[in-house]
Amino acid sequence: MPAPEEDAAARMASVVGWIRAVVLLVLLAYLFSSVALPWKIASVVFGMAGVVCGVIASVKVIRRKLPGVLRVTIPLATLACLLFTLSTSTQVVFYQPTAEYEQCLADTVTARSQAQCKHDYEQKLSTFQGVIGS
């Protein structure tokens, strides 16, 4: 009969790769969500992959009865990937207004012009101007 330490190590070894993948994908989704379009689209891809890996890792962690901290952090990391995916997907759907807003902010110097950029962006979003497919 294997020692309890060996059994725990064997259970953990089968999940380590999935945990590493989830952590890496969360970081990549976060990093790419803060860059300008079109690079921001990569956040959607990494986020979706993170959700898939996170669900698989969560199931493996729960089935193998691994430590409680993993039972909490892996689903939270999966939720973070989902949130990055949803928020960035919304910006991608409004690609043209978001790209114009990002460019406007990059070109502004004063707080007043930044406020004007934000106002114009909100106006375009409220009228669904620039939605992909329209």
Side-chain angles (χ1 to χ4, degrees), residues 6-62:
E6 291 175 5
D7 185 40
R11 288 184 297 162
M12 187 68 169
S14 66
V15 183
V16 168
W18 289 104
I19 293 171
R20 287 181 182 160
V22 170
V23 170
L24 178 65
L25 290 167
V26 167
L27 290 173
L28 288 171
Y30 170 72
L31 291 173
F32 277 97
S33 70
S34 61
V35 298
L37 287 168
W39 297 105
K40 194 173 282 203
I41 297 171
S43 176
V44 176
V45 175
F46 289 128
M48 287 190 299
V51 169
V52 171
C53 289
V55 168
I56 292 170
S58 296
V59 168
K60 288 180 175 284
V61 163
I62 292 168

Side-chain angles (χ1 to χ4, degrees), residues 12 19 61 66-77:
M12 187 68 169
I19 293 171
V61 163
L66 293 177
V69 70
L70 289 175
R71 292 182 192 181
V72 173
T73 55
I74 299 304
L76 285 177

